[in-house]
Amino acid sequence: ARQFAKRSGKGGKKRGTEQATRGPGSGSPGQFIARLERVHKALPGGRVLLDDVSLQLLAGAKVGVIGPNGAGKSTLLRLLAGVDTEYDGQVWRAGGLRIGMLDQEPSIDDDRSVIDNVMDGVPEQRDALAAFARVNAQIEAVAAASSAPAVAGFTEEPDLDELISEQAVLTEKIDALGCWNLDVHIKTAMSALNCPPAEAMPDVLSGGQRR
């Protein structure tokens, strides 16, 4: 971070606005990728967390946010990530910037297994692989139906050429995402982090295990 400053004077505040512009700051080292300008953030009860705060972040920088509990560290990160939109001032992020954030208290679906909840962190890759598996199953079903003896009645089958075309598109997408071995990579990471068993249900986990 180039600066983490607190300016005096609160006059002329406007409702929080966000900007995302392409150009300088898109990610090259030494360029700005995010900026807060005179941001003011207060809780519903009136307690002020951030008061007229301005800062800029450089691409490639490693920044630690240090402060006592309740000082607004998580709030600052949520503002930078675009998760929190209730503030005064201005937040800018470079166009095309992708931001990932791990909340202190992650949102977990107790009706789905640990692995299913973890996969929510990579939805694009997960959905692409699921769609590929679905199309392959449909292609196998069409091929099996075409080789089976004819029976009375009529059942509309998906068009094989369309399925093959969709399969090719999904193959290119998965290649670009580099996620053919997603399940292995996820389970390897879970093991390294000492996560609960993949098929365990969240409602039986302790608070530490849920985090």
Side-chain angles (χ1 to χ4, degrees):
R2 181 181 179 186
Q3 62 181 20
F4 200 138
K6 182 176 179 181
R7 300 178 183 173
S8 60
K10 302 178 184 176
K13 273 198 177 109
K14 297 182 179 178
R15 191 61 185 163
T17 59
E18 297 195 13
Q19 298 179 353
T21 350
R22 299 193 177 276
S26 59
S28 299
Q31 294 181 323
F32 292 119
I33 57 171
R35 180 169 61 245
L36 267 64
E37 293 184 3
R38 307 195 68 177
V39 168
H40 179 89
K41 170 68 179 182
L43 298 177
R47 187 165 76 87
V48 175
L49 292 177
L50 303 175
D51 188 16
D52 213 20
V53 171
S54 296
L55 65 85
Q56 299 179 92
L57 297 178
L58 288 169
K62 295 178 175 61
V63 181
V65 182
I66 302 173
N69 290 340
K73 302 184 297 296
S74 296
T75 298
L76 175 63
L77 296 178
R78 290 171 67 85
L79 288 170
L80 286 168
V83 176
D84 190 336
T85 58
E86 296 295 324
Y87 59 90
D88 292 315
Q90 186 176 89
V91 177
W92 171 87
R93 288 179 293 277
L97 183 67
R98 296 179 62 186
I99 299 176
M101 180 175 176
L102 179 63
D103 283 328
Q104 288 178 304
E105 298 294 337
S107 177
I108 295 178
D109 185 348
D110 285 340
D111 294 328
R112 298 163 64 228
S113 68
V114 168
I115 186 67
D116 288 338
N117 275 280
V118 170
M119 285 292 187
D120 286 344
V122 284
E124 186 176 11
Q125 293 87 338
R126 175 201 60 198
D127 294 346
L129 288 170
F132 185 78
R134 172 184 54 77
V135 169
N136 282 346
Q138 288 180 304
I139 290 175
E140 291 177 4
V142 171
S146 64
S147 61
V151 295
F154 175 77
T155 301
E156 184 177 356
E157 297 288 348
D159 182 79
L160 184 59
D161 290 337
E162 290 183 2
L163 289 173
I164 292 175
S165 177
E166 185 178 357
Q167 182 190 55
V169 171
L170 287 168
T171 298
E172 291 182 4
K173 182 175 183 177
I174 295 171
D175 283 340
L177 292 171
C179 62
W180 286 108
N181 296 315
L182 179 65
D183 189 65
V184 173
H185 292 160
I186 290 293
K187 289 183 176 179
T188 299
M190 289 175 64
S191 176
L193 293 170
N194 198 27
C195 290
E199 302 308 321
M201 298 303 291
D203 59 353
V204 301
L205 304 179
S206 67
Q209 287 177 317
R210 291 174 70 90
R211 293 186 183 92

Coordinates of all heavy atoms in Angstrom, one line a residue, residues 48-120:
V48 N -18.7 4.5 14.5 CA -17.9 4.7 13.3 C -16.7 3.8 13.3 O -16.0 3.7 14.2 CB -17.4 6.2 13.3 CG1 -16.5 6.4 12.1 CG2 -18.6 7.2 13.3
L49 N -16.6 3.1 12.2 CA -15.5 2.2 12.0 C -14.4 2.8 11.2 O -13.2 2.7 11.5 CB -15.9 0.9 11.3 CG -16.9 0.0 12.1 CD1 -17.3 -1.2 11.2 CD2 -16.2 -0.5 13.3
L50 N -14.7 3.5 10.1 CA -13.8 4.2 9.2 C -14.2 5.6 9.1 O -15.4 5.9 8.7 CB -13.7 3.5 7.9 CG -13.3 2.0 7.9 CD1 -13.4 1.4 6.4 CD2 -11.9 1.8 8.4
D51 N -13.3 6.5 9.3 CA -13.7 7.9 9.3 C -12.8 8.7 8.3 O -11.6 9.0 8.7 CB -13.6 8.5 10.7 CG -14.2 10.0 10.7 OD1 -14.9 10.4 9.8 OD2 -13.9 10.7 11.7
D52 N -13.3 9.0 7.1 CA -12.6 9.8 6.2 C -11.2 9.1 5.8 O -10.2 9.8 5.8 CB -12.3 11.2 6.7 CG -12.3 12.3 5.6 OD1 -12.9 12.0 4.5 OD2 -11.8 13.3 5.8
V53 N -11.3 7.9 5.5 CA -10.1 7.1 5.2 C -9.8 7.1 3.7 O -10.7 6.8 2.9 CB -10.2 5.6 5.7 CG1 -9.1 4.8 5.2 CG2 -10.2 5.6 7.2
S54 N -8.5 7.3 3.4 CA -8.1 7.2 2.0 C -6.8 6.3 1.9 O -6.0 6.3 2.8 CB -7.7 8.5 1.4 OG -8.8 9.4 1.3
L55 N -6.8 5.4 0.9 CA -5.6 4.5 0.7 C -5.6 4.1 -0.7 O -6.6 4.1 -1.5 CB -5.6 3.3 1.7 CG -6.8 2.3 1.5 CD1 -6.4 1.2 0.5 CD2 -7.0 1.6 2.9
Q56 N -4.4 3.6 -1.1 CA -4.2 3.1 -2.5 C -3.4 1.8 -2.4 O -2.5 1.7 -1.6 CB -3.5 4.1 -3.4 CG -4.2 5.4 -3.5 CD -3.5 6.4 -4.4 OE1 -3.7 6.4 -5.6 NE2 -2.6 7.2 -3.8
L57 N -3.7 0.8 -3.2 CA -3.0 -0.5 -3.2 C -2.3 -0.7 -4.5 O -2.9 -0.4 -5.6 CB -4.0 -1.6 -3.0 CG -4.7 -1.7 -1.6 CD1 -5.7 -2.8 -1.6 CD2 -3.7 -1.7 -0.5
L58 N -1.1 -1.1 -4.5 CA -0.3 -1.4 -5.7 C -0.3 -2.9 -6.0 O -0.3 -3.7 -5.2 CB 1.2 -1.0 -5.4 CG 1.5 0.5 -5.4 CD1 2.9 0.7 -4.9 CD2 1.3 1.2 -6.7
A59 N -0.3 -3.1 -7.3 CA -0.3 -4.5 -7.8 C 1.0 -5.1 -7.3 O 2.1 -4.5 -7.4 CB -0.3 -4.5 -9.3
G60 N 0.9 -6.4 -6.8 CA 2.1 -7.1 -6.4 C 2.5 -6.9 -4.9 O 3.3 -7.6 -4.4
A61 N 1.8 -5.9 -4.3 CA 2.2 -5.6 -2.9 C 1.5 -6.6 -2.0 O 0.5 -7.1 -2.2 CB 1.7 -4.2 -2.6
K62 N 2.2 -6.9 -0.9 CA 1.7 -7.8 0.2 C 1.4 -6.9 1.4 O 2.3 -6.3 1.9 CB 2.7 -8.9 0.5 CG 2.9 -9.8 -0.7 CD 3.9 -10.9 -0.3 CE 4.1 -11.9 -1.4 NZ 4.5 -11.3 -2.7
V63 N 0.2 -6.8 1.7 CA -0.3 -5.8 2.7 C -0.9 -6.5 3.9 O -1.8 -7.4 3.7 CB -1.3 -4.8 2.2 CG1 -1.7 -3.8 3.2 CG2 -0.6 -4.1 0.9
G64 N -0.5 -6.2 5.1 CA -1.1 -6.7 6.3 C -2.0 -5.6 7.0 O -1.5 -4.5 7.1
V65 N -3.2 -5.9 7.4 CA -4.0 -5.0 8.1 C -4.0 -5.3 9.6 O -4.5 -6.4 10.0 CB -5.4 -4.9 7.6 CG1 -6.3 -3.9 8.3 CG2 -5.4 -4.7 6.0
I66 N -3.5 -4.5 10.5 CA -3.3 -4.8 11.9 C -4.1 -3.8 12.7 O -4.2 -2.6 12.5 CB -1.8 -4.7 12.3 CG1 -1.0 -5.7 11.4 CG2 -1.7 -5.0 13.8 CD1 0.5 -5.6 11.6
G67 N -4.8 -4.4 13.7 CA -5.6 -3.5 14.6 C -6.3 -4.3 15.6 O -6.5 -5.6 15.5
P68 N -6.8 -3.8 16.7 CA -7.6 -4.5 17.7 C -8.9 -5.0 17.2 O -9.4 -4.5 16.1 CB -7.8 -3.5 18.8 CG -7.7 -2.1 18.1 CD -6.7 -2.3 17.0
N69 N -9.5 -5.9 17.9 CA -10.9 -6.4 17.5 C -11.8 -5.2 17.5 O -11.9 -4.4 18.3 CB -11.4 -7.4 18.5 CG -10.6 -8.7 18.5 OD1 -9.9 -9.0 17.5 ND2 -10.6 -9.5 19.6
G70 N -12.6 -5.2 16.4 CA -13.6 -4.2 16.2 C -13.1 -2.9 15.6 O -13.9 -1.9 15.5
A71 N -11.9 -2.9 15.2 CA -11.3 -1.6 14.6 C -11.7 -1.4 13.2 O -11.6 -0.3 12.7 CB -9.8 -1.7 14.7
G72 N -12.3 -2.4 12.5 CA -12.7 -2.3 11.2 C -11.9 -2.9 10.1 O -12.0 -2.6 8.9
K73 N -11.0 -3.9 10.5 CA -10.1 -4.5 9.6 C -10.9 -5.3 8.5 O -10.7 -5.2 7.3 CB -9.2 -5.5 10.3 CG -8.3 -4.8 11.4 CD -7.3 -5.8 12.0 CE -8.0 -6.9 12.7 NZ -8.8 -6.4 13.9
S74 N -11.9 -6.1 9.0 CA -12.7 -6.9 8.1 C -13.6 -6.0 7.2 O -13.8 -6.3 6.0 CB -13.6 -7.9 8.8 OG -12.8 -8.9 9.5
T75 N -14.1 -5.0 7.8 CA -14.9 -4.0 7.1 C -14.1 -3.4 5.9 O -14.6 -3.2 4.8 CB -15.4 -2.9 8.0 OG1 -16.2 -3.5 9.0 CG2 -16.2 -1.9 7.2
L76 N -12.9 -3.0 6.2 CA -12.0 -2.5 5.2 C -11.8 -3.4 4.0 O -11.9 -3.1 2.8 CB -10.6 -2.1 5.8 CG -9.6 -1.6 4.8 CD1 -10.0 -0.3 4.1 CD2 -8.2 -1.4 5.5
L77 N -11.6 -4.7 4.3 CA -11.4 -5.7 3.3 C -12.7 -5.9 2.5 O -12.6 -6.1 1.3 CB -10.9 -7.0 3.9 CG -9.5 -7.0 4.6 CD1 -9.2 -8.3 5.2 CD2 -8.4 -6.6 3.6
R78 N -13.8 -5.9 3.2 CA -15.1 -6.1 2.5 C -15.4 -4.9 1.6 O -16.0 -5.1 0.5 CB -16.2 -6.3 3.5 CG -16.1 -7.6 4.3 CD -17.1 -7.6 5.5 NE -18.5 -7.6 5.0 CZ -19.1 -8.7 4.6 NH1 -18.5 -9.9 4.7 NH2 -20.4 -8.7 4.2
L79 N -15.0 -3.7 1.9 CA -15.1 -2.6 1.1 C -14.3 -2.7 -0.2 O -14.7 -2.5 -1.3 CB -14.8 -1.3 1.8 CG -15.8 -0.8 2.9 CD1 -15.2 0.3 3.7 CD2 -17.1 -0.4 2.3
L80 N -13.0 -3.1 0.0 CA -12.1 -3.3 -1.1 C -12.6 -4.4 -2.1 O -12.5 -4.3 -3.3 CB -10.7 -3.6 -0.6 CG -9.9 -2.5 0.0 CD1 -8.7 -3.0 0.7 CD2 -9.5 -1.4 -1.1
A81 N -13.2 -5.4 -1.5 CA -13.7 -6.6 -2.3 C -15.0 -6.3 -3.0 O -15.5 -7.0 -3.8 CB -13.8 -7.8 -1.4
G82 N -15.7 -5.2 -2.6 CA -17.0 -4.9 -3.1 C -18.2 -5.6 -2.5 O -19.3 -5.6 -2.9
V83 N -17.9 -6.3 -1.3 CA -18.9 -7.0 -0.6 C -19.8 -6.1 0.2 O -21.0 -6.2 0.2 CB -18.3 -8.1 0.3 CG1 -19.4 -8.8 1.1 CG2 -17.5 -9.1 -0.5
D84 N -19.2 -5.1 0.8 CA -19.9 -4.1 1.6 C -20.1 -2.8 0.7 O -19.2 -2.2 0.2 CB -19.2 -3.7 2.8 CG -20.0 -2.9 3.8 OD1 -20.9 -2.2 3.4 OD2 -19.6 -2.9 5.0
T85 N -21.4 -2.5 0.5 CA -21.7 -1.3 -0.4 C -22.3 -0.2 0.3 O -22.7 0.8 -0.3 CB -22.6 -1.7 -1.6 OG1 -23.8 -2.3 -1.0 CG2 -21.9 -2.8 -2.4
E86 N -22.4 -0.3 1.7 CA -23.1 0.8 2.5 C -22.0 1.6 3.1 O -21.5 1.3 4.2 CB -24.0 0.1 3.5 CG -25.1 -0.7 3.0 CD -26.1 0.2 2.2 OE1 -26.3 1.4 2.6 OE2 -26.7 -0.2 1.2
Y87 N -21.7 2.7 2.5 CA -20.6 3.6 3.0 C -20.7 5.0 2.3 O -21.4 5.1 1.3 CB -19.2 3.0 2.7 CG -18.9 2.8 1.2 CD1 -18.4 3.8 0.4 CD2 -19.3 1.6 0.6 CE1 -18.1 3.6 -0.9 CE2 -19.1 1.4 -0.7 CZ -18.5 2.4 -1.5 OH -18.3 2.2 -2.8
D88 N -20.0 5.9 2.8 CA -19.8 7.2 2.1 C -18.4 7.3 1.6 O -17.5 6.8 2.2 CB -20.1 8.4 3.1 CG -21.5 8.4 3.6 OD1 -22.4 8.3 2.8 OD2 -21.8 8.5 4.8
G89 N -18.3 8.0 0.5 CA -17.0 8.2 -0.1 C -16.9 7.4 -1.4 O -17.9 7.2 -2.1
Q90 N -15.7 7.1 -1.8 CA -15.5 6.4 -3.2 C -14.6 5.3 -3.1 O -13.5 5.4 -2.4 CB -15.0 7.4 -4.2 CG -15.0 6.9 -5.6 CD -14.6 8.0 -6.6 OE1 -13.4 8.1 -6.8 NE2 -15.5 8.7 -7.2
V91 N -14.9 4.1 -3.7 CA -14.1 3.0 -3.8 C -13.8 2.7 -5.3 O -14.8 2.6 -6.1 CB -14.7 1.7 -3.1 CG1 -13.8 0.5 -3.4 CG2 -14.9 2.0 -1.7
W92 N -12.6 2.6 -5.7 CA -12.2 2.3 -7.1 C -11.4 1.0 -7.1 O -10.6 0.8 -6.3 CB -11.4 3.4 -7.6 CG -10.8 3.2 -9.0 CD1 -11.4 3.4 -10.2 CD2 -9.5 2.6 -9.3 NE1 -10.5 3.0 -11.2 CE2 -9.4 2.5 -10.7 CE3 -8.4 2.2 -8.5 CZ2 -8.2 2.1 -11.3 CZ3 -7.3 1.7 -9.1 CH2 -7.2 1.7 -10.5
R93 N -11.8 0.2 -8.1 CA -11.0 -1.0 -8.4 C -10.7 -1.1 -9.9 O -11.5 -0.7 -10.7 CB -11.8 -2.3 -8.0 CG -11.9 -2.5 -6.5 CD -12.7 -3.7 -6.1 NE -14.1 -3.6 -6.5 CZ -15.0 -3.0 -5.8 NH1 -14.6 -2.4 -4.6 NH2 -16.2 -2.9 -6.2
A94 N -9.5 -1.6 -10.3 CA -9.1 -1.6 -11.7 C -10.0 -2.6 -12.4 O -10.4 -3.6 -11.9 CB -7.7 -2.1 -11.8
G95 N -10.4 -2.2 -13.7 CA -11.2 -3.0 -14.5 C -10.5 -4.4 -14.7 O -9.3 -4.5 -15.0
G96 N -11.3 -5.4 -14.6 CA -10.8 -6.8 -14.8 C -10.2 -7.4 -13.6 O -9.7 -8.6 -13.6
L97 N -10.1 -6.6 -12.5 CA -9.5 -7.2 -11.3 C -10.4 -8.2 -10.7 O -11.6 -8.0 -10.5 CB -9.3 -6.0 -10.3 CG -8.6 -6.4 -9.0 CD1 -7.2 -6.8 -9.2 CD2 -8.7 -5.2 -8.0
R98 N -9.8 -9.4 -10.3 CA -10.6 -10.4 -9.7 C -10.1 -10.5 -8.2 O -9.0 -10.5 -7.9 CB -10.3 -11.8 -10.3 CG -10.8 -11.8 -11.8 CD -10.4 -13.2 -12.4 NE -11.1 -14.3 -11.7 CZ -10.9 -15.6 -12.0 NH1 -10.1 -15.9 -12.9 NH2 -11.6 -16.5 -11.3
I99 N -11.1 -10.4 -7.3 CA -10.9 -10.4 -5.9 C -11.5 -11.6 -5.2 O -12.7 -11.9 -5.4 CB -11.4 -9.1 -5.3 CG1 -10.8 -7.9 -5.9 CG2 -11.2 -9.1 -3.7 CD1 -11.3 -6.5 -5.4
G100 N -10.7 -12.3 -4.4 CA -11.2 -13.4 -3.6 C -11.1 -13.0 -2.1 O -10.1 -12.4 -1.7
M101 N -12.1 -13.4 -1.3 CA -12.1 -13.1 0.1 C -12.6 -14.2 0.9 O -13.7 -14.8 0.6 CB -13.0 -11.8 0.3 CG -13.0 -11.4 1.8 SD -13.9 -9.9 2.0 CE -13.9 -9.8 3.8
L102 N -11.9 -14.6 1.9 CA -12.3 -15.6 2.9 C -12.8 -15.0 4.1 O -12.0 -14.4 4.9 CB -11.1 -16.6 3.2 CG -11.4 -17.7 4.2 CD1 -12.5 -18.7 3.6 CD2 -10.2 -18.5 4.5
D103 N -14.1 -15.1 4.4 CA -14.7 -14.5 5.5 C -14.3 -15.2 6.8 O -14.0 -16.4 6.8 CB -16.2 -14.5 5.4 CG -16.8 -13.4 4.5 OD1 -16.2 -12.4 4.4 OD2 -17.8 -13.7 3.9
Q104 N -14.2 -14.4 7.9 CA -13.9 -15.0 9.2 C -15.0 -16.1 9.6 O -14.7 -17.1 10.2 CB -13.9 -13.9 10.3 CG -12.6 -13.1 10.2 CD -12.6 -12.0 11.2 OE1 -13.6 -11.2 11.3 NE2 -11.6 -11.9 12.0
E105 N -16.2 -15.8 9.3 CA -17.3 -16.7 9.5 C -18.0 -17.1 8.2 O -18.9 -16.5 7.7 CB -18.4 -16.0 10.4 CG -17.9 -15.6 11.8 CD -17.5 -16.8 12.7 OE1 -18.0 -17.9 12.4 OE2 -16.7 -16.6 13.6
P106 N -17.4 -18.1 7.6 CA -17.9 -18.5 6.2 C -19.3 -19.0 6.3 O -19.8 -19.5 7.3 CB -16.9 -19.7 5.8 CG -16.4 -20.2 7.1 CD -16.3 -19.0 8.0
S107 N -20.0 -18.7 5.2 CA -21.4 -19.2 5.0 C -21.4 -20.6 4.6 O -20.9 -20.9 3.5 CB -22.1 -18.3 4.0 OG -23.5 -18.7 3.8
I108 N -22.0 -21.5 5.4 CA -22.0 -22.9 5.1 C -23.4 -23.5 5.1 O -24.2 -23.1 5.9 CB -21.1 -23.7 6.2 CG1 -19.7 -23.3 6.1 CG2 -21.3 -25.2 6.0 CD1 -18.8 -23.9 7.2
D109 N -23.6 -24.3 4.1 CA -24.9 -24.9 3.9 C -24.9 -26.2 4.7 O -24.2 -27.2 4.3 CB -25.2 -25.2 2.4 CG -26.6 -25.7 2.2 OD1 -27.3 -26.1 3.2 OD2 -27.1 -25.7 1.0
D110 N -25.6 -26.3 5.8 CA -25.6 -27.5 6.6 C -26.3 -28.7 5.9 O -26.1 -29.9 6.4 CB -26.3 -27.3 7.9 CG -25.5 -26.4 8.9 OD1 -24.2 -26.3 8.7 OD2 -26.0 -25.8 9.8
D111 N -27.0 -28.5 4.8 CA -27.7 -29.6 4.2 C -26.8 -30.3 3.1 O -27.2 -31.2 2.4 CB -29.0 -29.1 3.5 CG -30.0 -28.7 4.6 OD1 -30.0 -29.3 5.7 OD2 -30.8 -27.8 4.3
R112 N -25.6 -29.7 2.9 CA -24.7 -30.3 1.9 C -23.4 -30.6 2.5 O -23.0 -30.1 3.5 CB -24.5 -29.2 0.8 CG -25.7 -28.9 0.0 CD -25.6 -27.6 -0.7 NE -24.6 -27.7 -1.8 CZ -23.7 -26.8 -2.0 NH1 -23.6 -25.7 -1.2 NH2 -22.8 -26.9 -3.0
S113 N -22.7 -31.6 2.0 CA -21.4 -32.1 2.5 C -20.3 -31.1 2.5 O -20.4 -30.1 1.9 CB -21.0 -33.4 1.8 OG -20.6 -33.0 0.4
V114 N -19.3 -31.5 3.3 CA -18.1 -30.6 3.4 C -17.5 -30.3 2.0 O -17.3 -29.2 1.6 CB -17.0 -31.2 4.3 CG1 -15.7 -30.4 4.1 CG2 -17.5 -31.2 5.7
I115 N -17.4 -31.3 1.2 CA -16.8 -31.2 -0.2 C -17.7 -30.3 -1.1 O -17.2 -29.5 -1.8 CB -16.5 -32.5 -0.8 CG1 -15.7 -32.4 -2.2 CG2 -17.8 -33.3 -1.0 CD1 -14.3 -31.8 -2.0
D116 N -19.0 -30.5 -0.9 CA -19.9 -29.6 -1.7 C -19.8 -28.2 -1.4 O -19.8 -27.3 -2.2 CB -21.3 -30.1 -1.6 CG -21.6 -31.4 -2.2 OD1 -20.8 -31.8 -3.2 OD2 -22.6 -32.1 -1.9
N117 N -19.6 -27.9 -0.1 CA -19.4 -26.5 0.4 C -18.1 -25.9 -0.1 O -18.0 -24.8 -0.5 CB -19.5 -26.4 1.9 CG -20.9 -26.3 2.4 OD1 -21.5 -25.3 2.4 ND2 -21.5 -27.5 2.9
V118 N -17.1 -26.7 0.0 CA -15.8 -26.3 -0.5 C -15.8 -26.0 -2.0 O -15.2 -25.0 -2.4 CB -14.7 -27.4 -0.2 CG1 -13.3 -27.0 -0.9 CG2 -14.5 -27.5 1.3
M119 N -16.5 -26.8 -2.8 CA -16.6 -26.6 -4.2 C -17.3 -25.3 -4.6 O -17.1 -24.8 -5.7 CB -17.3 -27.8 -4.9 CG -16.5 -29.0 -5.0 SD -15.1 -28.8 -6.1 CE -14.5 -30.5 -6.2
D120 N -18.0 -24.7 -3.6 CA -18.7 -23.4 -3.9 C -17.6 -22.3 -4.1 O -17.9 -21.3 -4.7 CB -19.6 -23.0 -2.7 CG -20.9 -23.8 -2.7 OD1 -21.2 -24.5 -3.7 OD2 -21.5 -23.8 -1.6

